[in-house]
Structures are given as structure tokens and as C-alpha cells.
């Protein structure tokens, strides 16, 4: 496995979450009752998997390595801005979910920001996957790919956390409201 392939594997899991988030938004707009525990799981996966693990792999290791070749810097700058945009959407989801849990009528903004996040993920992942193809083919050496991959896998707690996040995605996919029709 390589660093690029690990990031693609992360993207496969994020795509699964993207579908769940979109379905959740649609169901909330229809008035379907979705347990707060499921909504909280979604926000937790966004925070702990997408932001804390996946985006850190990109921002702290992959992007700097690619940029060190004075290559693809403009694309990297745009991705960093998009990551912050995604964090802002996630904060809005959490903010409105908290209001809703406290008894305010915030179902609509939760649904709206979930939909916005799903749209963001789809667009962002498509662009990053093309970036990975370019970086893998034209910039990174096989040794760098292996070294970064080994770095990703070296912290057992992170590997274990990724497995836990994938199990949470599995759980959400199997909830009655999440069945993709």
C-alpha cells in the first residue's frame, strides 16, 4: 500500500458517510424521526475521522511532501481552504444539533447543513482524487509513498480509531432511516 492509496481508501469510507449524510438530510426534511444518537455519531465521525485523521494525513504529511517539489501548490492551497470550509459547515451542524437537543426547533438548519456538507464532500473528493492521480504519477517517488504510508500506520491508536469509525459508518448504514432506496 502507498500513502496515496491509503488516502483513496479513506475517501472510500468518506463516500459512504457522504451518502449517509445526504440520506439523513433528506429524511429530516421529510419529517422522519432520526435518533439524536445517530446524528451525534455523524458529527463525531466528521470530527474524529474526516478532520482529525484524514485531513491531518493530507495537511501534515501528504500536501507538504508534494509541495516540497514546488508542484501543485495552487491545488494544495485550494484544498486547505476547502478543508476549513468543511470544518465551518461541521461546526454549524453541531451548533444547530445542540440547539435542537435543547428543545429549540432546529431540525431544518441541521438538515440544511447536512445537505451542504454532503454536497461539499462530493465535490471535494472528486477534486482530491484527481489531485492524487497527478501527484502519484508525476511527483511522489515510491519510497516517499511507502514512508508516508508507514507513518500513517505507525500510530496504533489512530489505526484502531479508523477501524472504530468504519464500524460506526457500518452501524449508520444499517439504520432503518438510512436504507438507500
Amino acid at each position: 500500500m502507498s500513502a496515496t492509496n491509503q488516502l483513496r481508501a479513506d475517501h472510500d469510507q468518506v463516500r459512504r458517510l457522504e451518502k449517509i449524510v445526504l440520506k439523513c438530510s433528506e429524511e429530516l426534511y421529510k419529517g422522519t424521526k432520526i435518533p439524536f444518537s445517530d446524528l451525534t455519531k455523524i458529527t463525531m465521525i466528521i470530527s474524529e475521522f474526516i478532520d482529525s485523521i484524514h485531513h491531518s494525513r493530507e495537511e501534515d504529511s501528504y500536501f507538504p511532501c508534494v509541495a516540497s517539489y514546488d508542484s501543485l501548490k495552487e491545488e494544495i492551497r485550494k484544498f486547505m481552504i476547502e478543508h476549513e470550509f468543511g470544518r465551518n459547515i461541521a461546526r454549524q451542524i453541531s451548533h444547530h444539533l445542540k440547539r435542537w437537543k435543547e428543545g429549540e426547533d432546529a431540525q431544518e438548519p441541521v438538515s440544511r447543513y447536512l445537505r451542504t456538507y454532503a454536497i461539499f464532500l462530493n465535490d471535494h473528493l472528486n477534486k482530491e482524487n484527481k489531485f492524487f492521480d497527478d501527484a502519484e504519477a508525476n511527483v511522489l517517488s515510491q519510497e516517499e509513498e511507502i514512508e508516508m504510508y508507514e507513518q500513517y500506520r505507525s500510530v496504533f491508536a489512530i489505526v484502531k480509531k479508523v477501524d472504530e469509525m468504519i464500524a460506526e459508518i457500518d452501524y449508520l448504514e444499517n439504520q432503518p432511516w438510512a436504507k438507500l432506496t
Side-chain angles (χ1 to χ4, degrees):
M1 175 89 74
S2 69
T4 303
N5 285 337
Q6 178 62 63
L7 294 174
R8 285 186 183 113
D10 289 354
H11 279 192
D12 291 344
Q13 300 307 319
V14 175
R15 285 270 184 219
R16 292 174 61 206
L17 183 65
E18 171 202 339
K19 289 178 176 72
I20 292 165
V21 168
L22 186 59
K23 181 67 173 175
C24 181
S25 171
E26 291 168 353
E27 291 302 313
L28 286 172
Y29 269 122
K30 288 183 201 173
T32 303
K33 299 286 185 221
I34 296 176
F36 280 125
S37 60
D38 290 354
L39 296 165
T40 301
K41 276 185 197 301
I42 290 170
T43 61
M44 184 260 309
I45 295 166
I46 290 169
S47 172
E48 294 183 18
F49 177 61
I50 295 177
D51 194 33
S52 295
I53 296 173
H54 177 70
H55 285 168
S56 320
R57 287 175 173 170
E58 293 173 337
E59 294 173 0
D60 299 338
S61 177
Y62 197 84
F63 292 164
C65 187
V66 172
S68 72
Y69 288 94
D70 207 27
S71 184
L72 304 171
K73 284 185 173 182
E74 184 59 24
E75 289 88 343
I76 291 168
R77 186 184 72 77
K78 290 176 185 175
F79 291 140
M80 298 293 281
I81 292 167
E82 288 183 11
H83 287 179
E84 193 54 39
F85 179 73
R87 289 178 185 112
N88 289 336
I89 300 168
R91 278 192 287 274
Q92 289 299 314
I93 296 167
S94 293
H95 168 73
H96 292 292
L97 182 58
K98 182 177 183 250
R99 288 180 47 233
W100 191 13
K101 282 181 181 178
E102 291 171 351
E104 291 184 52
D105 183 12
Q107 182 170 335
E108 189 282 329
V110 168
S111 179
R112 181 170 19 98
Y113 281 108
L114 285 169
R115 178 170 168 70
T116 302
Y117 195 76
I119 292 166
F120 157 74
L121 284 177
N122 182 52
D123 180 65
H124 181 71
L125 294 173
N126 289 340
K127 290 187 278 190
E128 274 193 348
N129 284 337
K130 288 178 186 163
F131 172 85
F132 293 157
D133 292 343
D134 196 12
E136 182 180 48
N138 302 312
V139 180
L140 298 173
S141 70
Q142 188 171 10
E143 293 78 20
E144 289 167 318
E145 288 271 13
I146 292 168
E147 186 178 315
M148 280 189 286
Y149 173 72
E150 288 173 357
Q151 178 188 4
Y152 298 161
R153 304 297 293 176
S154 68
V155 180
F156 179 73
I158 300 228
V159 173
K160 188 173 188 283
K161 183 56 110 173
V162 169
D163 291 343
E164 290 171 10
M165 295 296 99
I166 291 169
E168 295 290 6
I169 293 170
D170 293 341
Y171 168 85
L172 288 168
E173 283 178 332
N174 289 304
Q175 295 311 294
W177 61 263
K179 297 293 182 192
L180 301 175
T181 54

